[in-house]
CSV table of all heavy atoms in Angstrom, one decimal:
chain,number,residue,atom,x,y,z
T,28,MET,N,0.8,-1.2,0.0
T,28,MET,CA,0.0,0.0,0.0
T,28,MET,C,0.9,1.3,0.0
T,28,MET,O,0.5,2.3,-0.6
T,28,MET,CB,-0.9,0.0,1.2
T,28,MET,CG,-1.9,1.1,1.3
T,28,MET,SD,-3.2,0.8,2.6
T,28,MET,CE,-2.2,0.3,4.0
T,29,VAL,N,2.0,1.2,0.6
T,29,VAL,CA,3.0,2.4,0.7
T,29,VAL,C,3.9,2.5,-0.6
T,29,VAL,O,4.1,3.5,-1.0
T,29,VAL,CB,3.7,2.3,2.0
T,29,VAL,CG1,4.8,3.4,2.1
T,29,VAL,CG2,2.8,2.5,3.3
T,30,THR,N,4.3,1.3,-0.9
T,30,THR,CA,5.4,1.3,-2.0
T,30,THR,C,4.8,1.6,-3.4
T,30,THR,O,5.4,2.2,-4.2
T,30,THR,CB,6.1,-0.1,-2.0
T,30,THR,OG1,6.6,-0.4,-0.7
T,30,THR,CG2,7.2,-0.1,-3.0
T,31,LEU,N,3.6,1.1,-3.7
T,31,LEU,CA,3.0,1.3,-5.0
T,31,LEU,C,2.8,2.8,-5.4
T,31,LEU,O,3.2,3.1,-6.5
T,31,LEU,CB,1.7,0.5,-5.1
T,31,LEU,CG,1.8,-1.0,-5.1
T,31,LEU,CD1,0.4,-1.7,-5.0
T,31,LEU,CD2,2.4,-1.5,-6.4
T,32,PRO,N,2.3,3.6,-4.5
T,32,PRO,CA,2.2,5.0,-4.9
T,32,PRO,C,3.6,5.7,-5.0
T,32,PRO,O,3.8,6.6,-5.8
T,32,PRO,CB,1.4,5.7,-3.8
T,32,PRO,CG,1.5,4.8,-2.7
T,32,PRO,CD,1.7,3.4,-3.2
T,33,ILE,N,4.6,5.2,-4.2
T,33,ILE,CA,5.9,5.8,-4.3
T,33,ILE,C,6.5,5.5,-5.6
T,33,ILE,O,7.3,6.4,-6.2
T,33,ILE,CB,6.9,5.3,-3.1
T,33,ILE,CG1,6.3,5.8,-1.8
T,33,ILE,CG2,8.3,5.6,-3.3
T,33,ILE,CD1,7.0,5.2,-0.6
T,34,LEU,N,6.2,4.3,-6.1
T,34,LEU,CA,6.7,3.9,-7.5
T,34,LEU,C,6.0,4.5,-8.6
T,34,LEU,O,6.3,4.3,-9.8
T,34,LEU,CB,6.8,2.4,-7.6
T,34,LEU,CG,7.8,1.6,-6.6
T,34,LEU,CD1,7.6,0.2,-6.8
T,34,LEU,CD2,9.2,2.1,-6.9
T,35,GLY,N,4.9,5.2,-8.3
T,35,GLY,CA,4.0,5.8,-9.3
T,35,GLY,C,3.1,4.8,-10.0
T,35,GLY,O,2.6,5.1,-11.1
T,36,LEU,N,2.9,3.6,-9.4
T,36,LEU,CA,2.1,2.6,-10.1
T,36,LEU,C,0.6,2.8,-9.8
T,36,LEU,O,-0.3,2.3,-10.5
T,36,LEU,CB,2.5,1.2,-9.6
T,36,LEU,CG,4.0,0.8,-10.0
T,36,LEU,CD1,4.3,-0.4,-9.4
T,36,LEU,CD2,4.2,0.8,-11.5
T,37,VAL,N,0.3,3.5,-8.7
T,37,VAL,CA,-1.1,3.9,-8.4
T,37,VAL,C,-1.0,5.3,-7.7
T,37,VAL,O,0.1,5.8,-7.3
T,37,VAL,CB,-1.8,2.9,-7.4
T,37,VAL,CG1,-1.9,1.6,-7.9
T,37,VAL,CG2,-1.0,2.9,-6.0
T,38,THR,N,-2.0,6.0,-7.8
T,38,THR,CA,-2.1,7.3,-7.1
T,38,THR,C,-2.2,7.2,-5.6
T,38,THR,O,-2.7,6.1,-5.1
T,38,THR,CB,-3.3,8.2,-7.6
T,38,THR,OG1,-4.5,7.5,-7.2
T,38,THR,CG2,-3.3,8.2,-9.1
T,39,PRO,N,-1.9,8.2,-4.8
T,39,PRO,CA,-2.1,8.1,-3.4
T,39,PRO,C,-3.5,7.7,-2.9
T,39,PRO,O,-3.8,7.1,-2.0
T,39,PRO,CB,-1.6,9.4,-2.8
T,39,PRO,CG,-0.7,9.9,-3.9
T,39,PRO,CD,-1.1,9.4,-5.2
T,40,LYS,N,-4.5,8.4,-3.7
T,40,LYS,CA,-5.9,8.1,-3.4
T,40,LYS,C,-6.2,6.7,-3.6
T,40,LYS,O,-6.9,6.0,-2.8
T,40,LYS,CB,-6.7,9.0,-4.2
T,40,LYS,CG,-8.3,8.8,-3.9
T,40,LYS,CD,-9.1,9.8,-4.8
T,40,LYS,CE,-10.6,9.7,-4.4
T,40,LYS,NZ,-11.4,10.6,-5.2
T,41,GLU,N,-5.7,6.1,-4.7
T,41,GLU,CA,-6.0,4.7,-5.0
T,41,GLU,C,-5.3,3.8,-4.0
T,41,GLU,O,-5.8,2.6,-3.7
T,41,GLU,CB,-5.5,4.4,-6.4
T,41,GLU,CG,-6.3,4.9,-7.5
T,41,GLU,CD,-5.7,4.8,-8.9
T,41,GLU,OE1,-4.4,4.7,-9.0
T,41,GLU,OE2,-6.4,4.8,-9.9
T,42,ALA,N,-4.2,4.2,-3.5
T,42,ALA,CA,-3.4,3.3,-2.5
T,42,ALA,C,-4.2,3.1,-1.2
T,42,ALA,O,-4.2,2.0,-0.6
T,42,ALA,CB,-2.2,4.0,-2.1
T,43,PHE,N,-5.1,4.0,-0.8
T,43,PHE,CA,-5.9,3.9,0.4
T,43,PHE,C,-7.4,3.7,0.2
T,43,PHE,O,-8.2,3.7,1.1
T,43,PHE,CB,-5.6,5.1,1.3
T,43,PHE,CG,-4.2,5.3,1.7
T,43,PHE,CD1,-3.4,6.2,1.1
T,43,PHE,CD2,-3.7,4.5,2.7
T,43,PHE,CE1,-2.1,6.3,1.5
T,43,PHE,CE2,-2.4,4.6,3.1
T,43,PHE,CZ,-1.6,5.5,2.5
T,44,VAL,N,-7.8,3.5,-1.0
T,44,VAL,CA,-9.2,3.3,-1.3
T,44,VAL,C,-9.8,2.0,-0.8
T,44,VAL,O,-11.0,1.9,-0.6
T,44,VAL,CB,-9.4,3.3,-2.9
T,44,VAL,CG1,-8.9,2.0,-3.6
T,44,VAL,CG2,-10.9,3.6,-3.2
T,45,GLY,N,-8.9,1.1,-0.5
T,45,GLY,CA,-9.4,-0.2,0.1
T,45,GLY,C,-10.1,0.0,1.4
T,45,GLY,O,-11.0,-0.8,1.7
T,46,PHE,N,-9.7,1.0,2.2
T,46,PHE,CA,-10.4,1.2,3.5
T,46,PHE,C,-11.8,1.6,3.4
T,46,PHE,O,-12.6,1.6,4.4
T,46,PHE,CB,-9.6,2.2,4.4
T,46,PHE,CG,-8.3,1.6,4.9
T,46,PHE,CD1,-7.1,2.0,4.3
T,46,PHE,CD2,-8.2,0.7,5.8
T,46,PHE,CE1,-5.9,1.5,4.7
T,46,PHE,CE2,-7.1,0.1,6.3
T,46,PHE,CZ,-5.9,0.5,5.8
T,47,SER,N,-12.2,2.2,2.2
T,47,SER,CA,-13.5,2.6,2.0
T,47,SER,C,-14.3,1.7,1.1
T,47,SER,O,-15.5,2.0,0.6
T,47,SER,CB,-13.6,4.1,1.5
T,47,SER,OG,-12.9,4.1,0.2
T,48,SER,N,-13.8,0.5,0.8
T,48,SER,CA,-14.3,-0.3,-0.2
T,48,SER,C,-15.5,-1.1,0.3
T,48,SER,O,-15.6,-1.3,1.6
T,48,SER,CB,-13.3,-1.3,-0.8
T,48,SER,OG,-13.0,-2.3,0.2
T,49,ASN,N,-16.4,-1.5,-0.5
T,49,ASN,CA,-17.5,-2.3,-0.1
T,49,ASN,C,-17.1,-3.5,0.6
T,49,ASN,O,-17.8,-4.0,1.5
T,49,ASN,CB,-18.4,-2.5,-1.3
T,49,ASN,CG,-19.7,-3.4,-1.0
T,49,ASN,OD1,-20.5,-3.0,-0.2
T,49,ASN,ND2,-19.8,-4.5,-1.8
T,50,ALA,N,-16.2,-4.2,0.1
T,50,ALA,CA,-15.6,-5.5,0.6
T,50,ALA,C,-15.2,-5.4,2.0
T,50,ALA,O,-15.5,-6.1,2.8
T,50,ALA,CB,-14.6,-6.0,-0.3
T,51,VAL,N,-14.4,-4.3,2.3
T,51,VAL,CA,-13.8,-4.2,3.6
T,51,VAL,C,-14.9,-3.9,4.6
T,51,VAL,O,-14.9,-4.5,5.7
T,51,VAL,CB,-12.7,-3.0,3.6
T,51,VAL,CG1,-12.3,-2.7,5.0
T,51,VAL,CG2,-11.5,-3.5,2.8
T,52,ILE,N,-15.8,-3.0,4.3
T,52,ILE,CA,-16.9,-2.7,5.2
T,52,ILE,C,-17.8,-3.9,5.5
T,52,ILE,O,-18.2,-4.1,6.6
T,52,ILE,CB,-17.7,-1.5,4.7
T,52,ILE,CG1,-16.8,-0.3,4.5
T,52,ILE,CG2,-18.8,-1.2,5.7
T,52,ILE,CD1,-16.1,0.2,5.8
T,53,SER,N,-18.0,-4.6,4.4
T,53,SER,CA,-18.8,-5.9,4.6
T,53,SER,C,-18.2,-6.9,5.5
T,53,SER,O,-18.9,-7.5,6.3
T,53,SER,CB,-19.0,-6.5,3.1
T,53,SER,OG,-19.7,-5.6,2.3
T,54,ILE,N,-16.9,-7.1,5.3
T,54,ILE,CA,-16.2,-8.0,6.2
T,54,ILE,C,-16.3,-7.6,7.6
T,54,ILE,O,-16.4,-8.4,8.5
T,54,ILE,CB,-14.8,-8.2,5.7
T,54,ILE,CG1,-14.7,-9.0,4.4
T,54,ILE,CG2,-13.9,-9.0,6.7
T,54,ILE,CD1,-13.4,-9.1,3.7
T,55,ILE,N,-16.0,-6.3,7.9
T,55,ILE,CA,-16.1,-5.8,9.3
T,55,ILE,C,-17.5,-6.0,9.8
T,55,ILE,O,-17.6,-6.6,11.0
T,55,ILE,CB,-15.8,-4.3,9.3
T,55,ILE,CG1,-14.4,-4.0,9.0
T,55,ILE,CG2,-16.1,-3.7,10.7
T,55,ILE,CD1,-14.0,-2.6,8.8
T,56,ALA,N,-18.6,-5.7,9.1
T,56,ALA,CA,-19.9,-6.0,9.6
T,56,ALA,C,-20.2,-7.5,9.8
T,56,ALA,O,-20.9,-7.8,10.8
T,56,ALA,CB,-20.9,-5.4,8.5
T,57,VAL,N,-19.7,-8.3,8.9
T,57,VAL,CA,-20.0,-9.8,9.1
T,57,VAL,C,-19.3,-10.3,10.4
T,57,VAL,O,-19.9,-11.1,11.1
T,57,VAL,CB,-19.4,-10.6,7.9
T,57,VAL,CG1,-19.3,-12.1,8.2
T,57,VAL,CG2,-20.3,-10.4,6.7
T,58,ILE,N,-18.1,-9.8,10.7
T,58,ILE,CA,-17.4,-10.2,11.9
T,58,ILE,C,-18.2,-9.7,13.1
T,58,ILE,O,-18.4,-10.5,14.1
T,58,ILE,CB,-16.0,-9.6,11.9
T,58,ILE,CG1,-15.2,-10.3,10.8
T,58,ILE,CG2,-15.3,-9.9,13.3
T,58,ILE,CD1,-13.8,-9.7,10.7
T,59,ILE,N,-18.8,-8.5,13.1
T,59,ILE,CA,-19.5,-8.0,14.2
T,59,ILE,C,-20.8,-8.8,14.4
T,59,ILE,O,-21.2,-9.2,15.6
T,59,ILE,CB,-19.8,-6.5,14.1
T,59,ILE,CG1,-18.5,-5.7,14.1
T,59,ILE,CG2,-20.8,-6.0,15.1
T,59,ILE,CD1,-18.7,-4.3,13.8
T,60,ILE,N,-21.5,-9.1,13.3
T,60,ILE,CA,-22.7,-9.9,13.4
T,60,ILE,C,-22.4,-11.3,13.9
T,60,ILE,O,-23.2,-11.8,14.8
T,60,ILE,CB,-23.3,-10.0,12.0
T,60,ILE,CG1,-23.9,-8.7,11.6
T,60,ILE,CG2,-24.5,-11.1,12.0
T,60,ILE,CD1,-24.5,-8.7,10.2
T,61,GLY,N,-21.3,-11.9,13.5
T,61,GLY,CA,-20.9,-13.2,14.1
T,61,GLY,C,-20.6,-13.2,15.5
T,61,GLY,O,-21.0,-14.0,16.2
T,62,ALA,N,-20.0,-12.1,16.0
T,62,ALA,CA,-19.8,-11.9,17.4
T,62,ALA,C,-21.0,-11.8,18.2
T,62,ALA,O,-21.1,-12.4,19.3
T,62,ALA,CB,-18.8,-10.7,17.6
T,63,GLY,N,-22.0,-11.1,17.6
T,63,GLY,CA,-23.3,-11.0,18.3
T,63,GLY,C,-24.0,-12.3,18.5
T,63,GLY,O,-24.6,-12.6,19.5
T,64,LEU,N,-24.0,-13.1,17.4
T,64,LEU,CA,-24.6,-14.4,17.4
T,64,LEU,C,-23.9,-15.3,18.5
T,64,LEU,O,-24.5,-16.1,19.2
T,64,LEU,CB,-24.5,-15.1,16.0
T,64,LEU,CG,-25.3,-14.4,14.9
T,64,LEU,CD1,-25.1,-15.0,13.6
T,64,LEU,CD2,-26.8,-14.4,15.2
C-alpha cells in the first residue's frame, strides 16, 4: 500500500481506497454480526 504510490504505479488516493471499499466494510460488519450471534 505504501510502496506502490511511491513507485508511481497507483495514485495516493488509489493506495488507500481499500479502507472505504464495499468489501472491507462488509467483512467488518460480518465479523460484528458473528460476534453478536
Side-chain angles (χ1 to χ4, degrees):
M28 186 167 50
V29 172
T30 306
L31 288 171
I33 292 176
L34 295 176
L36 299 175
V37 297
T38 66
K40 183 177 181 180
E41 290 171 333
F43 298 101
V44 73
F46 289 106
S47 62
S48 71
N49 179 55
V51 169
I52 302 302
S53 297
I54 289 174
I55 292 174
V57 166
I58 293 173
I59 294 173
I60 289 173
L64 295 173

